[in-house]
Amino acid sequence: MIRYHLATYGCQMNEYDSAMIARKLEARGCISVDTPEEADFIIVNTCSVREKAEETAIARISKFKPIKKKNPDLKVVVCGCMAKNRGKELFKKLKMVNFIVGPDHYEKIPDLLLGTYPTKERIFLEEDLEQNYVGDFAKIQNHFSTFITIQRGCNKRCSYCIVPYLRGPEKYRETQDVLDEVKMVADKGITEIMLLGQTVNAYKTKDCDFPQLLTKISEIGGIRRIRFTSPHPRHYTNELIDVLLNNSKVCHYAHIPLQSGSDAMLKKMRRQHNLEQYMSIIEQLRSKDPYYGISTDIICGFVGETEEDFEWTLKATEQAQFDSAFMFIYSPRQGTESAKEVETLTEQEKLERHGRLVELQNSITLKRNQMMLGRTEEILVERASSKDISEMVGKTDNFKKVVFKPQGIVRPGDYITCKLNDIRGWTIRGEMEK
């Protein structure tokens, strides 16, 4: 039996791609193993969104050197965004690597590893605008919830972001291909799906746009919750907002990147929206449902950011009342437009601004969690608590984590109702209703 070990770093799209690679390998008779020491093949799916992500992946791949020394027949593949970004350089840094495969060439991996590829090429990085992995569904990783990619690449070219250079322009899966995968997972008992795309709500084929796709998916039997990430503010149409607020299967939660509250910085970032447009989305979603969950990404200390620009970000954060936020200190990413500019802030200044933002957001997150107390919510049970195995953890429709003590037999994947009655630290606690 041929054994493979697959390690994934980075975004949820990488997780989906890894699951798709796993399904391809298992269709050829391979089996998954938990440790690289057990494997005949090691595949590492990598991220390039920040330089630190690449450094981490390189350090971990380097640890395979003694494994390869003990087993010279071991084959190692590096794929994903770092493979595309670093290219042949990885052969010099990581001499134990056999193949380097970019995001448009995953279908080659089984043949490369099994020795049935028709040439002796070792590197596959060319952009393939036609490759959309039609009919290549992902291996199901979880028996009640799964990711499904509907869109790859990005056309936005934000000045700080390397992704469009690595993932290429936007490509949308054919609607029927998406629906076929949803039906497949629903038939296997999956009730919650997360639709993935770099700009997921830009999805559009000749016969279907994103709001229509959400409606079609909601009509598939067995699907109870539909989530998606990451949407772009530019593509929140009136039609989409209507579906988000009125289709009971589409969860009342979204991760909508803001990046800055300053219109000057948003323009410099090439975000294609201003603060007023962004806040209009929040207001429309929350006007009907004040509990609508919204998280975001914010960059502190972008090149050229003044104190006034940063104050606008603080004001926007206060106004938006995000449930949570990923808050990053800006660092130049080689190969992007903004990396060519001269930095205007010291690391200490950026760190100080980040600290102020984190303090503000922490207070808002606590306040938004406290708003949930006294409510009775449907919870999708996910797992046992890591702190107390007698308790379980699940999520509300608006993506709040809830810890509760089960009454009777409760399993991951079950839907139960809880009265939310306490907060300990950042964690909401509930009492399960019988």
Side-chain angles (χ1 to χ4, degrees), residues 52-326:
K52 186 176 179 182
E54 290 191 346
E55 291 170 354
T56 299
I58 288 171
R60 290 180 179 174
I61 296 167
S62 297
K63 294 181 179 179
F64 299 151
K65 187 175 180 180
I67 303 173
K68 181 97 170 183
K69 191 173 181 179
K70 286 182 181 178
N71 177 14
D73 293 329
L74 175 71
K75 292 179 181 177
V76 179
V77 177
V78 176
C79 62
C81 288
M82 185 181 77
K84 180 75 177 288
N85 193 35
R86 295 293 187 97
K88 291 181 181 179
E89 172 195 345
L90 292 175
F91 283 136
K92 297 177 183 178
K93 283 183 171 288
L94 303 164
K95 296 189 184 299
M96 77 290 297
V97 171
N98 298 90
F99 304 103
I100 297 172
V101 181
D104 288 340
H105 297 276
Y106 295 150
E107 83 287 350
K108 296 181 175 70
I109 289 176
D111 283 323
L112 291 171
L113 292 174
L114 293 166
T116 53
Y117 195 75
T119 74
K120 292 186 178 181
E121 290 178 82
R122 299 178 61 206
I123 186 165
F124 303 85
L125 301 177
E126 302 82 8
E127 198 170 89
D128 184 351
L129 297 178
E130 301 301 317
Q131 176 56 274
N132 221 359
Y133 297 106
V134 176
D136 286 332
F137 303 158
K139 176 184 175 181
I140 295 173
Q141 303 289 314
N142 182 310
H143 75 272
F144 59 86
S145 179
T146 197
F147 299 132
I148 294 181
T149 292
I150 66 168
Q151 177 251 332
R152 297 172 182 273
C154 184
N155 294 342
K156 297 298 182 283
R157 302 263 171 181
C158 296
S159 63
Y160 53 83
C161 184
I162 192 105
V163 169
Y165 303 96
L166 306 179
R167 289 271 185 178
E170 290 174 8
K171 293 185 287 189
Y172 312 110
R173 282 178 70 183
E174 287 300 322
T175 303
Q176 193 57 52
D177 202 44
V178 174
L179 296 177
D180 286 346
E181 183 165 12
V182 176
K183 288 174 184 173
M184 181 197 77
V185 302
D187 287 344
K188 294 182 182 297
I190 300 290
T191 62
E192 179 186 70
I193 59 166
M194 172 77 85
L195 303 176
L196 303 179
Q198 255 81 35
T199 52
V200 68
N201 56 334
Y203 178 88
K204 190 175 181 63
T205 63
K206 63 181 182 293
D207 58 357
C208 187
D209 61 15
F210 190 61
Q212 292 169 325
L213 181 66
L214 291 175
T215 300
K216 289 175 185 289
I217 290 172
S218 72
E219 293 167 353
I220 293 174
I223 297 300
R224 292 181 61 167
R225 286 187 175 183
I226 304 169
R227 301 188 185 277
F228 56 89
T229 199
S230 282
H232 192 283
R234 178 181 167 186
H235 300 288
Y236 269 86
T237 62
N238 290 334
E239 292 78 13
L240 175 57
I241 288 173
D242 181 65
V243 171
L244 298 184
L245 291 175
N246 295 303
N247 188 313
S248 62
K249 292 188 179 181
V250 180
C251 292
H252 280 208
Y253 165 80
H255 181 81
I256 314 175
L258 170 64
Q259 306 303 6
S260 175
S262 160
D263 282 345
M265 289 296 99
L266 290 172
K267 185 175 181 180
K268 193 170 187 180
M269 292 174 174
R270 296 226 300 256
R271 285 291 294 161
Q272 301 184 16
H273 67 87
N274 59 31
L275 182 60
E276 182 181 0
Q277 291 165 333
Y278 185 94
M279 287 303 174
S280 173
I281 298 165
I282 308 297
E283 288 163 8
Q284 289 177 79
L285 295 174
R286 292 252 176 92
S287 64
K288 185 168 182 179
D289 179 8
Y291 299 93
Y292 201 105
I294 298 169
S295 58
T296 196
D297 296 330
I298 302 175
I299 297 171
C300 290
F302 186 64
V303 60
E305 182 186 79
T306 65
E307 178 63 27
E308 183 181 5
D309 291 323
F310 180 67
E311 288 292 336
W312 274 108
T313 296
L314 293 177
K315 290 175 187 175
T317 302
E318 181 68 49
Q319 183 181 347
Q321 292 287 294
F322 298 115
D323 292 84
S324 62
F326 295 97

Side-chain angles (χ1 to χ4, degrees), residues 400-415:
K400 297 287 187 182
K401 184 174 81 170
V402 176
V403 176
F404 66 96
K405 281 194 176 292
Q407 303 289 324
I409 297 173
V410 178
R411 300 180 179 89
D414 289 348
Y415 288 83

Side-chain angles (χ1 to χ4, degrees), residues 322-359:
F322 298 115
D323 292 84
S324 62
F326 295 97
M327 297 161 282
F328 306 98
I329 295 173
Y330 173 72
S331 60
R333 191 70 184 91
Q334 200 65 36
T336 64
E337 185 179 312
S338 62
K340 300 172 186 175
E341 298 192 53
V342 177
E343 288 257 45
T344 55
L345 295 168
T346 66
E347 287 303 310
Q348 186 57 39
E349 286 171 322
K350 289 191 279 187
L351 188 64
E352 187 271 338
R353 288 181 185 179
H354 182 261
R356 287 157 62 192
L357 181 63
V358 168
E359 183 178 5

